[in-house]
Amino acid sequence: MSRISDAVKQDHREIESYYTVITSSQDPDEQTRYQNMFTWELARHAVGEELVLYPAMEKYVRDGVEAADKDRHEHQKVRSN
């Protein structure tokens, strides 16, 4: 049985791999494809965390409100860059 934390970590690794291709590729078509995939996966991931993960953390995890707020703050830093 997989845990939600495993899915979140897998999403992070996948998004990071797209970023690596974007920044290392010399092929504009490949960069565009991976930029589109990066944008889609990052948006999907962020929405999923906001709708599912953070409310569950706040409800079921000790100090979950603080942990969810910390993660939201980190996401906000990424959005503003």
Side-chain angles (χ1 to χ4, degrees):
M1 173 155 87
S2 67
R3 297 165 38 159
I4 193 163
S5 61
D6 295 332
V8 169
K9 289 175 187 175
Q10 177 60 35
D11 276 359
H12 287 184
R13 286 191 296 269
E14 186 176 6
I15 292 166
E16 288 170 355
S17 74
Y18 295 163
Y19 178 79
T20 299
V21 172
I22 294 164
T23 59
S24 64
S25 177
Q26 300 300 313
D27 179 354
D29 290 332
E30 182 179 53
Q31 288 176 321
T32 299
R33 274 194 318 277
Y34 277 86
Q35 286 169 345
N36 291 339
M37 291 168 35
F38 177 89
T39 301
W40 170 255
E41 289 301 322
L42 185 61
R44 180 197 55 76
H45 174 82
V47 168
E49 284 189 347
E50 289 289 338
L51 294 177
V52 177
L53 182 63
Y54 298 155
M57 286 173 63
E58 292 170 344
K59 186 172 182 177
Y60 298 110
V61 175
R62 183 184 324 166
D63 298 325
V65 171
E66 292 82 9
D69 286 346
K70 179 181 176 269
D71 283 358
R72 284 185 185 106
H73 179 71
E74 289 177 3
H75 280 193
Q76 187 58 41
K77 287 193 307 190
V78 170
R79 286 184 194 116
S80 63
N81 283 335

